[in-house]
Amino acid sequence: MVPMMTGVTRNQGHGAKLAIFDLDKTIINTSASMAYGRPLAERGLIGTPEVLRMMVHLGNYMLTTHTEENMQATKHALLGMVRDREEEALRSVAQDALQEVITPYIYAEARTLLEEHREQGHRIAIVTASPSVMVEPIANELGVDHLIATELEVKDGLFTGEVLHFNKGISKVEHIRGLVEAEGYDLENSFAYSDSFTDLPMLQLVGNPTAVNPDRPLRKYALEHNWPILRFENPEPLFQQSAVLAGAGATLALLGAVATGLAFWFKSRDEDT
């Protein structure tokens, strides 16, 4: 299967080592799919109900681990949001709002680790369930060699609300194998990093797997198999931001707290009905 390498494939790596990174909670301390709610609303691309829905999903996601249920819920929320929206408009928001809603949440430890791999001549891939339209700017900002992401269907410049490829679990493995076949990477001496047990097939694919901020099942598995465990705790911007952008980051953090409250409100309301 040909890997989804959307817009950010650099270098030829025959025989080289590959460093594979999950994105959410591994490189960034947020959900790339849900973090753009406010800028999308400010540009009139989504309405208040959709913003609230995205905030609830973001709050729940940051408080819980990856599960099939919450991944599917996030996917359906996102598809509902983008259906019949212009692809270029969403791409524009993802690029323009990058410094506001993503870069303040990139772990400093992740940036250091990326640079260490780069200095050793390793190629770097981000492999994520988030849609490529939202994460291409992140991949470009980080200067990675490959991006493998979820692909959404577009017809006549509009998102149809259908998914061409949902990049999770074993699908990640299939596309990484396609990339390795195309580029000739040495998987036995390569590296992989993730926070989630759902990425276990991806982590098992390489000779050097590492759990980063692992959820409980992955932490248990990593301890049982003597895998390294890293704790990333310091989100920092890629570059020095102005006071305006710093304030925007603080606002997003506040919105995350509000999302948590809304999540519990919706849950209790559903239980009462």
Side-chain angles (χ1 to χ4, degrees):
M1 185 178 293
V2 178
M4 300 289 180
M5 297 176 290
T6 50
V8 283
T9 299
R10 304 181 180 90
N11 303 322
Q12 296 297 311
H14 189 76
K17 298 174 184 177
L18 185 64
I20 303 165
F21 287 81
D22 178 44
L23 182 60
D24 298 352
K25 292 188 179 179
T26 302
I27 292 179
I28 60 175
N29 185 30
T30 188
S31 162
S33 295
M34 297 290 108
Y36 285 100
R38 185 161 54 86
L40 287 169
E42 290 173 349
R43 289 158 178 78
L45 293 176
I46 61 175
T48 301
E50 292 165 311
V51 173
L52 291 175
R53 208 171 297 120
M54 290 179 72
M55 290 169 63
V56 168
H57 281 292
L58 179 57
N60 280 335
Y61 174 78
M62 296 309 296
L63 287 174
T64 62
T65 185
H66 293 279
T67 64
E68 181 68 23
E69 183 180 2
N70 66 31
M71 289 184 74
Q72 289 292 336
T74 299
K75 181 183 79 168
H76 291 311
L78 180 66
L79 291 178
M81 179 194 74
V82 304
R83 185 178 289 110
D84 298 326
R85 307 295 184 187
E86 292 184 1
E87 179 188 18
E88 285 308 310
L90 194 58
R91 287 189 183 279
S92 177
V93 171
Q95 182 62 59
D96 294 345
L98 176 69
Q99 297 171 20
E100 177 183 337
V101 301
I102 296 296
T103 57
Y105 297 91
I106 297 175
Y107 287 114
E109 299 94 335
R111 289 192 283 117
T112 298
L113 185 56
L114 286 164
E115 187 56 34
E116 289 175 355
H117 279 293
R118 198 172 284 116
E119 289 175 353
Q120 295 176 69
H122 303 162
R123 303 294 191 258
I124 298 170
I126 288 178
V127 182
T128 175
S130 293
S132 62
V133 66
M134 290 184 166
V135 296
E136 281 181 22
I138 305 170
N140 282 316
E141 189 76 24
L142 291 169
V144 305
D145 300 290
H146 308 288
L147 171 64
I148 303 176
T150 290
E151 297 298 326
L152 306 181
E153 185 179 58
V154 177
K155 288 186 178 178
D156 299 323
L158 302 177
F159 288 106
T160 66
E162 299 298 324
V163 177
L164 297 177
H165 162 64
F166 189 26
N167 195 53
K168 69 177 183 68
I170 198 65
S171 293
K172 288 187 175 183
V173 170
E174 292 172 354
H175 285 78
I176 292 168
R177 287 193 182 279
L179 174 62
V180 169
E181 183 177 346
E183 301 290 334
Y185 290 124
D186 176 6
L187 274 182
E188 180 59 32
N189 291 299
S190 289
F191 304 79
Y193 303 88
S194 179
D195 69 293
S196 175
F197 189 74
T198 62
D199 279 336
L200 185 62
M202 180 181 83
L203 292 166
Q204 292 173 325
L205 193 61
V206 300
N208 300 286
T210 297
V212 177
N213 298 340
D215 57 23
R216 190 171 299 172
L218 180 58
R219 179 177 177 81
K220 181 176 183 292
Y221 188 93
L223 289 171
E224 290 173 348
H225 292 80
N226 297 314
W227 287 3
I229 297 175
L230 299 178
R231 178 62 59 182
F232 292 172
E233 297 178 339
N234 300 302
E236 291 180 3
L238 283 171
F239 46 83
Q240 198 66 34
Q241 296 187 55
S242 67
V244 172
L245 290 180
T251 300
L252 186 61
L254 176 60
L255 288 176
V258 173
T260 301
L262 284 170
F264 286 111
W265 180 80
F266 278 119
K267 184 176 185 294
S268 62
R269 186 190 66 171
D270 290 342
E271 290 174 350
D272 291 340
T273 56

